[in-house]
Amino acid sequence: MDLVLLAKAAVMGVVEGLTEFLPISSTGHLILAGALLGFDDAKSKVFDIAIQTGAILAVIIVYWQKLRDTAAGIASDAAARRFVINVAIGFLPAVILGLLFGKAIKAHLFTPTVVASAFIIGGFIILWAERRPASAVRVQDVDQMTPLDALKVGLVQCLAMVPGTSRSGATIIGGMLLGLSRKAATDYSFFLAIPTLIGAGLYSLYKERALLSVADLPMFGVGLLFSFISAWICVRWLLRYISTHNFVPFAWYRIVFGLVVLGTSWSGLVVWSA
């Protein structure tokens, strides 16, 4: 058993769990962390996507009561059916565009320079979104969303196909710009992540199954475990945080971090791999 490889898997799991649901891009952080650790071959890219399932398990546990009540009431409760339909509607654009453009995006955009640029641009968009007037909020709770709201957020989620953009950042900030409250946008982002990330993980494992073997199970197991633990901590913290704070600190983090990556790359201080 390669203990160094398992240690790298644990680090990558923590990075995934801590960044997946914050508006700072888990994919971007995984690309940069993988470049520093030398954990960036073809198999590691499958690993990065697969361990998102661990983070999603944390969301399922945190929102278990809502998910359980929805499942129990789907046959008799119109609100439960509307909630499921809205999640499905928001999920579809990512499926369609992912199948059409996913391969090209991975081939050309998964580089540290693109990631850093997306960090910076996304940071300024968050600053702009947080300046919107409070009167612009028209949806206070995720159950008040219409199918059109769900479709719009689903389309915005597709922007996260560009690494460094952040899926949670696109859906949360996009939802806020579309009239959702900070809580409604955050909740919907979490619910939308369940089919999106599970689907991406299963599709990646199936598509790249020739790269994998039974010997890879310990590596994937460690990554999933650490992703789950760190995501569970992060999700619970974020739900408390948004009740009294905005996303401005994350915007400045994105901007500063993006500038550091660009600066170290251009100066040669750090050689970021593709």
Side-chain angles (χ1 to χ4, degrees):
M1 185 177 296
D2 189 338
L3 294 181
V4 173
L5 180 62
L6 293 183
K8 290 181 179 180
V11 171
M12 296 295 281
V14 170
V15 171
E16 159 63 23
L18 291 181
T19 59
E20 180 61 56
F21 303 110
L22 300 179
I24 57 175
S25 176
S26 63
T27 301
H29 281 81
L30 288 170
I31 290 174
L32 299 176
L36 287 176
L37 293 173
F39 193 80
D40 53 5
D41 59 7
K43 186 179 294 186
S44 68
K45 290 178 171 57
V46 180
F47 171 89
D48 290 349
I49 298 174
I51 63 172
Q52 294 174 339
T53 306
I56 284 302
L57 180 58
V59 170
I60 292 173
I61 290 175
V62 170
Y63 283 95
W64 176 248
Q65 183 173 346
K66 170 68 173 177
L67 296 173
R68 183 193 61 191
D69 292 345
T70 298
I74 195 169
S76 57
D77 187 353
R81 287 194 296 271
R82 183 171 62 250
F83 171 78
V84 172
I85 291 171
N86 283 344
V87 172
I89 290 173
F91 171 58
L92 282 177
V95 175
I96 296 171
L97 294 183
L99 292 174
L100 290 175
F101 303 111
K103 186 175 180 180
I105 289 172
K106 287 182 179 180
H108 300 291
L109 298 183
F110 273 57
T111 66
T113 299
V114 170
V115 170
S117 300
F119 270 133
I120 296 169
I121 294 170
F124 282 112
I125 291 175
I126 292 174
L127 291 177
W128 172 54
E130 287 290 4
R131 292 175 62 88
R132 87 197 197 292
S135 59
V137 176
R138 57 180 179 76
V139 178
Q140 295 292 342
D141 185 85
V142 69
D143 288 327
Q144 297 174 351
M145 291 178 63
T146 66
L148 183 58
D149 291 326
L151 177 60
K152 289 178 179 178
V153 176
L155 290 171
V156 172
Q157 178 177 238
C158 294
L159 295 174
M161 294 173 66
V162 178
T165 301
S166 172
R167 190 208 64 81
S168 59
T171 50
I172 294 173
I173 302 304
M176 290 170 58
L177 289 173
L178 291 168
L180 276 65
S181 69
R182 184 175 287 105
K183 184 180 185 305
T186 302
D187 286 343
Y188 187 67
S189 176
F190 287 152
F191 292 129
L192 192 55
I194 296 173
T196 301
L197 299 188
I198 290 178
L202 293 176
Y203 177 73
S204 180
L205 286 172
Y206 173 77
K207 186 178 179 182
E208 306 295 344
R209 61 192 182 279
L211 292 173
L212 307 175
S213 67
V214 175
D216 296 318
L217 286 177
M219 177 183 73
F220 278 81
V222 168
L224 286 166
L225 175 62
F226 279 85
S227 173
F228 163 72
I229 294 172
S230 54
W232 182 78
I233 294 171
C234 185
V235 169
R236 289 172 60 86
W237 172 82
L238 182 61
L239 291 174
R240 291 193 300 270
Y241 175 88
I242 63 171
S243 65
T244 54
H245 298 80
N246 60 30
F247 292 115
V248 168
F250 297 108
W252 287 114
Y253 169 82
R254 291 179 63 110
I255 293 168
V256 171
F257 190 47
L259 290 173
V260 168
V261 172
L262 288 179
T264 55
S265 177
W266 290 342
S267 67
L269 183 63
V270 178
V271 180
W272 302 99
S273 61

